[in-house]
Amino acid sequence: MIRGILIGVLVAAVAGTAYWGYQEHQEKNAILLNAENNYQRAFHDLTYRMDLLHDKIGTTLAMNSKHSLSPSLIEVWRITSEAHSDVGQLPLTLLPFNKTEEFLANIGNFTYRTAARDLEKEPLSNEEYEKLKQLYKQSGEIQAELRKVQHMVLKNNLRWMDVELALASGKETTDNTIIDGFKTVEKTVTGFEESDQGVSMSNLQKKDENFKLIKGKTITKKEAITIAKKYMNFDGNAEVKVTDNGKGSDYGFYSVSIRNKKTGQEASMDITKKAGHPIWFINNREITTQKLSLNEASNRATKFLKETGFKNLEVIESTQYDNVGVFNFVTNIDGIRIYPESVKVKVALDNGDIVGVSAEEYLKSFHTREIEKPAISMQEAKTKVNPNLKIMEDRQAVIINDLDKEVLCYEFLGTMGDDTYRIFINAKSGVEEDVEKLKDSEEVYEDTL
């Protein structure tokens, strides 16, 4: 009997030790996962901000108004500060990356000092303009190298914790794609002459934080599920979850998630309680080989929006990412584009499924508006545009200005060098309200690291 008790105690002790070890293992994994997530976020934020930085410097080059130039330079300074912060959150303290950090600091210093002075009395000199052009070119080179690293990280599911362990153990000389990629970035920046470093439309979208302009009856959870299924195109064998958000508020919404039990495919959607409009929708499924052209996918997106109640929309931008077509629509009333009313649609190019919708900006801005007649002519507005811009298209458009007010503008689409820009001139005052550099088609990054 004593032997049985001892065996029982021993078994309990072993079980307790095993449980303790399991708990320790779980906690360690949780810490490592949290660190990995933070590194991944900082890296992708850095890559995104280098995209923004390159575009914003390009936008600044196209500006012809001192009124617009100073805020744009401040925006460049802000983006460089955030990119610098992102670098500081990566496990690169043991890897020389000081030249890249110095490059970002130099851009920030130059743009801040330039924007801080009175540009009406002391405009940009030819030397400063040339320096901006150099910074634009150099930021584009860094952007391209970071995109290559990002491509490899996503393609091969690389982990940043491996980078940290390699750097900490002094094994960074061994084959490590991320470390090699960042060394290439550093080498690219080092190649810039020291003398060179001597020194979406951000305003097109409404900043309102709710959906107070929506009209219609309040829907039930059951009705929300019916709407979601129409978007998700799932069969009857699905598990549905609905969360009530903003209970008691006129601006509340339902979050609906649906999982196909047979295939494991999942989709999620937020729907306004009032009138049941989609705020956003995403279908997380694997997209196989492309079979549809971008034009065919655009027609699918247009047809889908009409069938789901969106009216008077025209596609203004189309982009392809891997096997997905992304289309940006805005309202068009009598030839006038209403940019605040924007809807984005993602289409799978393997079978034409709608795999993503973002209508938040549209819902915040949609209303019947009276558009005043312009006070200046199209020809007068053209004289306000940078003379180096070759104008290809022109029209009227409504945008949101820096004061968060809707303004009627003349929109000019034109080219300068290899880049394409949208310029918005206020149709009443002639002020240059906004300049947007349009994105080039996405480059396909091969395994060049």
Side-chain angles (χ1 to χ4, degrees):
M1 181 174 176
I2 294 176
R3 182 184 178 190
I5 293 173
L6 289 174
I7 292 174
V9 171
L10 183 60
V11 170
V14 171
T17 302
Y19 180 76
W20 175 80
Y22 174 78
Q23 288 289 93
E24 285 285 301
H25 178 71
Q26 290 292 92
E27 290 175 5
K28 181 181 178 181
N29 281 346
I31 293 172
L32 292 175
L33 180 61
N34 183 60
E36 177 65 20
N37 289 341
N38 286 334
Y39 290 150
Q40 291 284 357
R41 175 192 52 75
F43 170 64
H44 292 298
D45 281 353
L46 173 62
T47 306
Y48 170 70
R49 288 193 173 105
M50 284 307 302
D51 288 349
L52 286 182
L53 180 62
H54 183 243
D55 284 350
K56 197 62 184 178
I57 295 175
T59 296
T60 304
L61 286 171
M63 288 181 173
N64 194 43
S65 164
K66 310 300 186 297
H67 170 77
S68 302
L69 189 57
S70 185
S72 185
L73 289 168
I74 289 293
E75 183 70 5
V76 172
W77 169 76
R78 182 188 66 79
I79 295 170
T80 56
S81 298
E82 292 176 344
H84 202 277
S85 174
D86 293 329
V87 172
Q89 296 177 56
L90 293 172
L92 300 172
T93 52
L94 301 178
L95 177 68
F97 206 59
N98 56 302
K99 289 293 183 182
T100 303
E101 292 182 278
E102 183 181 334
F103 174 77
L104 291 171
N106 285 333
I107 293 180
N109 291 337
F110 169 71
T111 52
Y112 184 81
R113 287 202 307 266
T114 307
R117 73 177 190 241
D118 188 343
L119 291 174
E120 290 289 346
K121 297 179 180 178
E122 191 180 354
L124 283 182
S125 65
N126 290 335
E127 182 182 356
E128 287 173 326
Y129 188 81
E130 287 301 314
K131 196 170 296 295
L132 265 180
K133 288 168 66 175
Q134 288 177 339
L135 294 175
Y136 176 62
K137 177 177 179 294
Q138 293 166 354
S139 64
E141 293 177 28
I142 298 176
Q143 173 195 35
E145 294 298 338
L146 282 175
R147 282 296 197 95
K148 292 176 184 177
V149 180
Q150 185 182 50
H151 166 75
M152 295 301 295
V153 168
L154 294 173
K155 179 182 178 182
N156 299 320
N157 197 26
L158 302 178
R159 300 193 322 148
W160 278 89
M161 289 305 298
D162 294 337
V163 176
E164 186 171 47
L165 292 173
L167 292 172
S169 62
K171 296 180 180 179
E172 68 271 19
T173 55
T174 61
D175 182 27
N176 186 294
T177 301
I178 296 179
I179 292 177
D180 292 345
F182 271 83
K183 284 181 177 178
T184 301
V185 174
E186 184 72 352
K187 185 178 179 180
T188 299
V189 180
T190 305
F192 301 155
E193 293 291 336
E194 286 189 12
S195 58
D196 292 345
Q197 301 183 38
V199 279
S200 112
M201 300 186 191
S202 58
N203 288 332
L204 302 188
Q205 304 301 333
K206 193 76 171 175
K207 299 176 183 177
D208 193 4
E209 294 300 324
N210 58 49
F211 307 108
K212 64 183 180 182
L213 299 177
I214 296 177
K215 296 185 180 350
K217 73 179 187 69
T218 300
I219 65 170
T220 64
K221 283 187 178 181
K222 186 175 180 180
E223 289 172 318
I225 294 172
T226 301
I227 294 169
K229 284 185 174 180
K230 183 177 180 180
Y231 276 76
M232 297 173 188
N233 197 27
F234 280 10
D235 59 30
N237 187 26
E239 178 184 351
V240 182
K241 293 182 180 178
V242 184
T243 304
D244 188 340
N245 295 287
K247 192 172 184 179
S249 168
D250 289 338
Y251 319 123
F253 59 93
Y254 294 112
S255 293
V256 183
S257 63
I258 299 181
R259 179 178 179 274
N260 189 316
K261 294 180 180 179
K262 184 178 180 180
T263 64
Q265 181 183 342
E266 296 183 357
S268 303
M269 186 175 190
D270 280 357
I271 305 171
T272 61
K273 290 181 180 178
K274 188 181 287 186
H277 294 299
I279 301 172
W280 63 265
F281 157 67
I282 186 167
N283 186 345
N284 296 305
R285 76 163 178 83
E286 183 180 354
I287 299 172
T288 56
T289 307
Q290 178 178 349
K291 296 180 181 177
L292 275 71
S293 69
L294 204 59
N295 184 60
E296 290 173 319
S298 175
N299 292 335
R300 294 279 185 103
T302 301
K303 182 173 180 290
F304 174 81
L305 289 175
K306 287 181 179 178
E307 290 175 347
T308 49
F310 292 95
K311 299 178 181 179
N312 301 318
L313 292 178
E314 71 163 315
V315 63
I316 62 165
E317 188 177 23
S318 60
T319 313
Q320 180 174 342
Y321 298 92
D322 295 327
N323 294 327
V324 177
V326 182
F327 306 94
N328 190 13
F329 292 81
V330 298
T331 298
N332 187 317
I333 304 295
D334 298 327
I336 302 174
R337 286 181 177 175
I338 314 297
Y339 277 101
E341 295 181 7
S342 168
V343 181
K344 291 182 176 63
V345 181
K346 289 185 178 182
V347 180
L349 298 180
D350 55 358
N351 65 0
D353 275 353
I354 306 300
V355 293
V357 175
S358 176
E360 183 174 358
E361 302 302 335
Y362 181 93
L363 297 175
K364 289 176 179 178
S365 304
F366 179 77
H367 66 281
T368 302
R369 46 176 66 77
E370 292 184 9
I371 301 175
E372 297 181 357
K373 290 186 177 181
I376 63 174
S377 67
M378 177 77 74
Q379 200 59 40
E380 287 175 303
K382 282 183 180 179
T383 64
K384 309 295 183 181
V385 177
N386 189 319
N388 295 318
L389 191 83
K390 183 179 179 182
I391 297 175
M392 311 298 291
E393 295 179 18
D394 54 55
R395 63 178 60 84
Q396 292 182 40
V398 172
I399 69 169
I400 302 296
N401 67 8
D402 290 336
L403 300 176
D404 202 24
K405 302 292 184 184
E406 288 192 359
V407 290
L408 177 65
C409 294
Y410 287 108
E411 173 189 349
F412 299 99
L413 185 71
T415 59
M416 190 169 67
D418 295 328
D419 297 313
T420 304
Y421 297 89
R422 274 199 188 101
I423 314 291
F424 294 93
I425 304 298
N426 190 301
K428 185 176 181 179
S429 64
V431 168
E432 186 179 63
E433 290 284 357
D434 195 39
V435 176
E436 178 201 2
K437 177 182 174 294
L438 300 187
K439 291 186 180 297
D440 299 325
S441 58
E442 283 293 301
E443 184 174 349
V444 177
Y445 293 96
E446 301 296 339
D447 302 351
T448 55
L449 292 178

